[in-house]
Amino acid sequence: MQGLNRLLRYSASGRRQFLRGIVLRILAQLFAVLPFFIAWLALSDVQWASGEWQHWGALWAGLAVCMLAQLAFSHFGQLDCFLGSYALMGKYRQALAEHLRRLPLGWFARHRIGATSALMTDQVRRVEDIFSHMLPEVVLGLVTPLLFALLLFAVDPLLTLALFAPLIPGLLLLWLMTHFLLRGVREQGQRFAMASGLLVEFVSGIKTLRLFDRQAAMLTRLDKTFADIRRASMGMEAWGGGGVLLFRLLAEGGLVVMFITAALMWRDGQLNPTTWLLFVLVGYKVINPLIEAAAWFTLLRVMRQSAARLDALMAEPTQAEEGEGCQPANNDIRFDNVSFGYDDRRVVENISFSVPEGSVTALVGPSGSGKSTLLNLLGGFWSPDSGEISLGAVPLGKLGARELYQRLGYVMQDVQLFDGSVLDNVRIGNPQASDEQVMAACREACCDEFVRLLPEGYHTRLGEGAQRLSGGERQRLSIARMMLKESSIIVLDEATALLDPLSQAEVQLALTRLARGKTVLMIAHRLRTVEFASQILVLDGGRIVAQGTHAQLLEQEGLYRQLWQSQEQDRLFSEGKMA
């Protein structure tokens, strides 16, 4: 229950209200139990021979008080339980969203969107069900029989022990079968996460799948995943439902044991009629809440798996929003013996280089050589396994995310635009920018012409993913957004790699304007785009194999000259200048 205890700490007022609701509902159960014992006391005091009794008024008053108290405590207890649980979950959802926001960006590259979405919706809803429904019912299902047991034990210990004796093996069986159920639930959670990820991939990639006539293969994978979920669900129902049924059988067996014990006591003259009537009336009222609590308890243990998954998310280390107060003296970038790998695979090894403020540094090399990894390490997506990265002589570990991302501006291959207007999407770079400033940035980024052709110009909603725009148009809008941000360091991750020649020229012009007077670190696939870089780093196999200007590298035998010659031959061939 540690995870649930931690959740209770997210809202002090919600916790107090929730716990107050539990207490009120327990009091309601107490007043539901008392009438049976008040009636028993009354029957024991009645003079049956004469039929006279002086306390009828007190009896009816006591019963009326019990009824009214039960109604009041039950109503306000349920109200407090629901409102308290919703207050707790509201704060918990805010904490989850805030934690997710502060996770290093590399975390999102390692987790599927569908699985994360399911975690933040389905799993949170299950935890909410714990507090709004299950936990109160389990508590009441245990407290009510306990109250009965204490009062019954005071009336007749032997009959009480007979009633509760079969519950001990029932509880052991329930715990054992629930243990096997939980093992299946953990595996089932992985299947649901996989199914969510596949559904997201299927919906987002339906165009590609249909164009290649591969939707049937994806549907087959989905069908197999759902079939596995269905089979596993049947097994889980058997373990969960079977445990509850066995517990019910043994719990109701306590009534049989009580009847047999009562018969023996009656034969020996050890049982009076009023006591026997009391046990007959309340016997099933003791057992029934326990049976219901067993079902709720089984579900509660299952739902705790959801809380454990959310706890695992909350345990993920976050990127500090604020640093240690160290301000970089300038925008120099330094990599000092930096190494990093994913799992057991080393991606970059002992990388050292400097990027002076105001200079342009290009990273080139074959795919998988570690270029993008270096840019991601600079952005704090991951922390190096060894070595140090510094900005203005301050280690990145001492800079908070706010300071780092105020200085860094990323232009990626994959542009993320949202379902809002052009103005809204560009203004992300500076929420305080006026419409005129947004339009000026768009003109500088070569966007104004195509934006004005849209149905509502700058007020046109782009839709999810801005599919109505071409790749080059989306890229130029992202550059306009970066111009509004006015970052002092620009990071370009092959921003023109996937564009046609005309779009490349327009994007390149926008990038040139964006990088004016900035410190630039860029990845380039086409070497002609980095001819005038201050320095070029050539990577291969996660190491820097050459370093220098374009002219210096062409004078050396090595990978850079091979890449240059190969690209020049391809360019000349495409222009029809080679036989």
Side-chain angles (χ1 to χ4, degrees), residues 8 143 214 384 480:
L8 283 169
V143 169
R214 297 296 296 167

Side-chain angles (χ1 to χ4, degrees), residues 422-423 426 435-436 438-454 457-458 473 476-477 480 513:
V422 174
L423 289 172
V426 177
D435 289 355
E436 291 72 20
V438 173
M439 294 177 186
C442 287
R443 287 192 293 271
E444 189 76 359
C446 307
C447 302
D448 187 71
E449 183 177 349
F450 75 80
V451 169
R452 293 193 180 278
L453 294 176
L454 295 174
Y458 282 91
E473 290 169 342
R476 278 176 276 166
L477 283 178
R513 293 172 176 173

